[in-house]
Amino acid sequence: MVTYVSALLYGVGGLVVAGMALLVALQEKLVYVPVLPGLTKSYPITPARLRLTYEDVWLLSSDGVRLHAWFIKLLPNCRGPTLLFFQENAGNIAHRLEMVRIMIQRLQCNVFMLSYRGYGASEGYPSQHGITKDAQVALDHLYQRTDIDTSRIVVFGRSLGGAVGTVVTKNNPDKVAALIVENTFTSILDMAGVLLPFLKWFIGGSSSKGPKVLNFLVRSPWSTIDVIGEVKQPILFLSGLQDEMIPPSHMQMLYAKAAAHNRQCVFAEFPTGMHMDTWLAGGDHYWRTIQEFLQQHVQEKKDDESSNNDIDVGAK
């Protein structure tokens, strides 16, 4: 009996040690996947292939990392909403161009696509601290532009991008008009237990009941659940119920946390949507949901309102 118990304890200890080794050595490779298997880091296509009007934008993050982005415009003088798009963790922005092409047509918007550090043509290596800086410099760039309506900047994040977008939206209530989050996790801490089930007893987010003794090993926790409740702007949650990567319950928990503090939250479900294809599986309903959200919460300023504001300023 003693031998059996000892063997069991050694086995559990071995799993913990193995989990710790995996976390320390491989976590960045699990969280950030700039290069898909069999492909190269470079962009397979550019927006020009899809006949999109675009601009190559080069930015310098606050820690000196050189970043690349595409600014794709509906029309040269389009004053509609501008979506700051943050992608998932795998591949690069070129792999999202077909979706963005349809997005621009259906939403009559501009789209700014940022390559995180270490992704696409951007330099550096990905990390939570670094990508947060990248998102901020992208938003600052948009806010300084004179060819868009800067009062209608909307952050759109999918999966990892939802975590990125939530942070930059929370940090910039004066620059971001609204937030759209699609198929995003509550935290990487919670996802560790989804990807490696035996770790859920040792790693977890704020809602986890485990001892969380290994949380200190996670260098990119991306705890969206702890940030989403601080976002004051309107939020649209888009959830694919067939998501095979992130349990849809994560989106439900994010919505519940946000809605408890923010009355401008909208939750939309898409029964056949998987992790990467909710936009496709959702069809017309998907795009109409976003259209209605933008029409309600990111309205175009009327000319007479602008004129009245000018008169008021002059009268002072």
Side-chain angles (χ1 to χ4, degrees):
M1 178 65 180
V2 174
T3 302
Y4 174 77
V5 173
S6 298
L8 180 62
L9 290 175
Y10 278 122
V12 172
L15 285 176
V16 173
V17 171
M20 291 178 66
L22 282 172
L23 280 173
V24 172
L26 301 176
Q27 62 180 274
E28 272 79 19
K29 294 184 181 298
L30 293 172
V31 177
Y32 309 111
V33 189
V35 182
L36 293 170
L39 300 179
T40 64
K41 183 174 180 286
S42 60
Y43 304 127
I45 61 172
T46 69
R49 176 76 68 85
L50 300 180
R51 298 182 179 181
L52 296 172
T53 301
Y54 79 104
E55 172 187 340
D56 276 303
V57 178
W58 292 95
L59 304 170
L60 197 64
S61 198
S62 61
D63 56 353
V65 177
R66 192 166 182 256
L67 307 171
H68 177 255
W70 285 326
F71 184 41
I72 307 174
K73 301 191 73 174
L74 173 66
L75 297 168
N77 297 315
C78 177
R79 306 296 290 183
T82 294
L83 272 57
L84 174 52
F85 180 77
F86 296 121
Q87 68 161 75
E88 305 89 331
N89 73 316
N92 60 52
I93 55 177
H95 300 126
R96 280 81 191 172
L97 278 174
E98 179 58 31
M99 182 275 300
V100 167
R101 181 183 67 83
I102 298 174
M103 175 185 288
I104 289 171
Q105 294 175 349
R106 292 297 303 264
L107 304 182
Q108 296 290 289
C109 66
N110 308 308
V111 178
F112 191 92
M113 305 179 74
L114 172 71
S115 277
Y116 306 136
R117 61 183 60 202
Y119 283 70
S122 293
E123 300 174 354
Y125 300 92
S127 68
Q128 177 171 340
H129 187 64
I131 290 176
T132 300
K133 291 178 179 293
D134 302 345
Q136 185 63 53
V137 75
L139 175 60
D140 290 344
H141 168 81
L142 277 180
Y143 198 70
Q144 293 168 4
R145 294 186 72 111
T146 59
D147 58 342
I148 66 171
D149 184 346
T150 56
S151 71
R152 305 182 75 194
I153 296 174
V154 177
V155 169
F156 190 137
R158 180 176 292 149
S159 189
L160 171 65
V164 178
T166 299
V167 171
V168 76
T169 300
K170 188 267 289 186
N171 290 342
N172 296 272
D174 57 332
K175 296 180 180 179
V176 178
L179 170 66
I180 301 174
V181 176
E182 180 176 328
N183 294 339
T184 294
F185 45 76
T186 52
S187 72
I188 290 295
L189 298 170
D190 290 329
M191 283 301 298
V194 173
L195 298 174
L196 300 170
F198 68 90
L199 286 179
K200 69 182 180 180
W201 301 107
F202 310 101
I203 296 176
S206 58
S207 60
S208 173
K209 297 180 180 179
K212 311 175 189 177
V213 293
L214 299 184
N215 278 11
F216 72 97
L217 293 174
V218 180
R219 292 185 288 270
S220 292
W222 287 115
S223 190
T224 315
I225 192 71
D226 293 329
V227 180
I228 198 80
E230 299 181 49
V231 174
K232 306 303 181 185
Q233 300 95 314
I235 311 174
L236 172 61
F237 296 83
L238 304 171
S239 178
L241 297 186
Q242 301 303 315
D243 193 327
E244 74 286 8
M245 296 291 294
I246 298 173
S249 60
H250 281 225
M251 284 291 287
Q252 295 166 3
M253 286 188 282
L254 289 175
Y255 171 73
K257 183 65 175 289
H261 305 275
N262 185 343
R263 295 183 179 180
Q264 301 180 94
C265 294
V266 179
F267 190 87
E269 295 179 336
F270 302 91
T272 60
M274 298 180 71
H275 189 64
M276 296 292 291
D277 77 346
T278 298
W279 67 274
L280 192 59
D284 186 61
H285 174 49
Y286 176 90
W287 296 112
R288 281 191 292 104
T289 298
I290 302 176
Q291 284 175 336
E292 291 170 2
F293 176 78
L294 295 178
Q295 288 170 0
Q296 181 177 357
H297 297 289
V298 191
Q299 298 177 1
E300 183 178 3
K301 286 185 177 180
K302 297 179 180 179
D303 292 337
D304 57 346
E305 289 181 0
S306 299
S307 299
N308 288 336
N309 289 338
D310 292 340
I311 292 172
D312 291 340
V313 171
K316 294 176 182 179

